[in-house]
Amino acid sequence: MADEVKLFGVWASPYSRRVEVALKLKGVKYEFIEEDLSNKSDLLLKYNPVHKKIPVLLHNGKPIVESLVILEYIDETWKGNPILPHDPYQKAVARFWAKFLDEKCFPALRKAFSSKEDEQEKAIEEASELLKILENELNGKKFFGGDKIGLVDIVANFIGFWLGVIQEAKGEELLLTHKKFPILCKWIDEYVNCSVIKENLPCQR
Amino acid sequence: MADEVKLFGVWASPYSRRVEVALKLKGVKYEFIEEDLSNKSDLLLKYNPVHKKIPVLLHNGKPIVESLVILEYIDETWKGNPILPHDPYQKAVARFWAKFLDEKCFPALRKAFSSKEDEQEKAIEEASELLKILENELNGKKFFGGDKIGLVDIVANFIGFWLGVIQEAKGEELLLTHKKFPILCKWIDEYVNCSVIKENLPCQR
């Protein structure tokens, strides 16, 4: 039986996009089902009754939920082009950074962009501290995953693309400048110019 | 070379205790190093410079950080007595519930126990909604992992032990009653009476 793979997502969501990038890296064909978050479909509510959120991957009728969980599932199900390292220690390191991005960096970046003026300076400073940690981690490497894109790069797509778009939309270089974060900015260039990413940037739809 | 395994933790912490339970289930010998969180050791700061938190597992000199990441590392490094299912889909389901416990249930339970009186009722209601979801998930099973303790049971140790202690200390049955949550309460009995758990409850130290 051929695999039936469906992805319930939202084209502009970095969380959906992670899953799409992983599926494309693996060469897995899938149907993308665009959700309207203001009027969620019965299928989304059926397949993710706990969180009622995208993305949901449906593989041969079985739902997998939460983008990090989905990425691990994809890597374990389709073995070619591994996303996670094989070695348990290196795998733990990748999982650590993926968690750090989701639990620390993204909330801090969101706060930095949405805070009121009087709180924004402090929020930007806090987010900068976290970006500095990422900058150090990247030092000497092309990608977080080494020579090629891996789990952490896929999870960091928010920094690799969305952050630049938000900064541009706001008309100012608020946070992520070449001067302050040369290594992260170089990584962004490498990331968005990598073919599988380039073909799947949100602006391509 | 024999494995050198050290665990930097705090005996009363459910996060350290998860790691201890996993090591004991696997039969891995380890040295436990009790940290004083008000005066963290240089070694803890060296091995976990990002979060500066326990638990840290040190395996042959390599640090692994974040309890969920450590549990996966332990399962991949010492193969006997698996904690996670082998099947990728079942593994994804276990990871989903572990994340649900850490990201939804524990913050809600903490809030329910620490809220001021006027906010407590709402906080208890919210935590109860999440416990109901767990109650449904457990229905028909002895453990979250099926017939034996697995990842989700180990992660749920907060409910299995700490919640009862806190309720008792407060002198009232606030949240987790047999009447409201018969299946979860039965699970707690099974959990704390399981030999590896029983021998490692915090009160045994």
Side-chain angles (χ1 to χ4, degrees), chain B residues 17-19 21-23 25-26 67-68 71-72 74-75 80-86 90-91 93-95 97-98 101 138 141-158 187 190-191 194 196-197:
Chain B
R17 201 51 62 99
R18 292 172 178 181
V19 180
V21 165
L23 290 170
L25 276 170
K26 296 283 185 175
S67 67
L68 289 187
L71 292 178
E72 296 241 15
I74 289 172
D75 206 35
N81 288 338
I83 294 169
L84 277 142
H86 180 70
Q90 291 306 327
K91 206 182 268 191
V93 171
R95 285 178 179 140
W97 288 112
L101 281 160
L138 258 179
K141 291 193 286 193
K142 187 173 172 186
F143 294 111
F144 287 99
D147 288 336
K148 62 188 198 66
I149 284 183
L151 179 79
V152 185
D153 301 278
I154 296 173
V155 171
N157 67 355
F158 184 84
W187 169 81
E190 299 276 12
Y191 183 77
C194 184
V196 69
I197 306 298

Side-chain angles (χ1 to χ4, degrees), chain A residues 5-154:
Chain A
V5 181
K6 294 181 182 183
L7 175 63
F8 295 80
V10 167
W11 74 270
S13 155
Y15 299 98
S16 298
R17 202 50 62 101
R18 291 174 179 181
V19 179
E20 288 201 80
V21 165
L23 290 170
K24 300 216 186 229
L25 277 171
K26 297 282 186 178
V28 176
K29 287 203 166 43
Y30 63 96
E31 179 189 347
F32 184 82
I33 298 158
E34 177 80 16
E35 278 289 327
D36 172 2
L37 296 185
S38 65
N39 181 24
K40 293 174 183 173
S41 72
D42 290 344
L43 283 179
L44 179 65
L45 302 179
K46 174 183 163 189
Y47 291 130
N48 190 0
V50 173
H51 300 302
K52 304 175 177 68
K53 280 185 179 168
I54 56 104
V56 173
L57 184 76
L58 198 68
H59 183 205
N60 295 333
K62 288 180 181 170
I64 303 109
V65 165
E66 295 270 5
S67 67
L68 289 187
V69 174
I70 297 173
L71 292 178
E72 296 241 13
Y73 175 82
I74 289 172
D75 206 37
E76 283 159 9
T77 302
W78 295 280
K79 305 278 188 191
N81 288 339
I83 294 169
L84 277 143
H86 180 69
D87 171 68
Y89 182 72
Q90 292 306 328
K91 206 181 268 189
V93 171
R95 286 178 179 140
F96 169 83
W97 288 112
K99 244 175 115 63
F100 175 74
L101 281 160
D102 262 14
E103 294 173 14
K104 299 284 170 185
C105 293
F106 297 157
L109 288 169
R110 228 175 269 131
K111 207 173 155 193
F113 283 114
S114 60
S115 291
K116 288 178 193 150
E117 220 165 297
D118 56 332
E119 292 164 356
Q120 198 171 37
E121 200 176 328
K122 195 171 163 242
I124 287 179
E125 205 177 296
E126 283 171 6
S128 295
E129 287 302 315
L130 299 172
L131 291 179
K132 252 184 235 165
I133 293 173
L134 288 179
E135 175 96 354
N136 284 340
E137 173 58 18
L138 257 180
N139 199 0
K141 290 193 286 192
K142 187 173 172 183
F143 294 112
F144 287 100
D147 288 336
K148 60 189 199 69
I149 285 182
L151 179 80
V152 185
D153 301 278
I154 296 174

Side-chain angles (χ1 to χ4, degrees), chain B residues 108-109 111-129 172 174-175 180:
Chain B
L109 288 168
K111 205 172 157 195
F113 284 115
S114 60
S115 292
K116 287 176 193 152
E117 219 166 298
D118 55 332
E119 293 163 357
Q120 198 171 38
E121 199 176 328
K122 194 171 164 242
I124 287 179
E125 206 177 294
E126 282 170 8
S128 295
E129 287 302 316
E172 49 188 333
L174 274 171
L175 187 58
K180 280 202 281 187

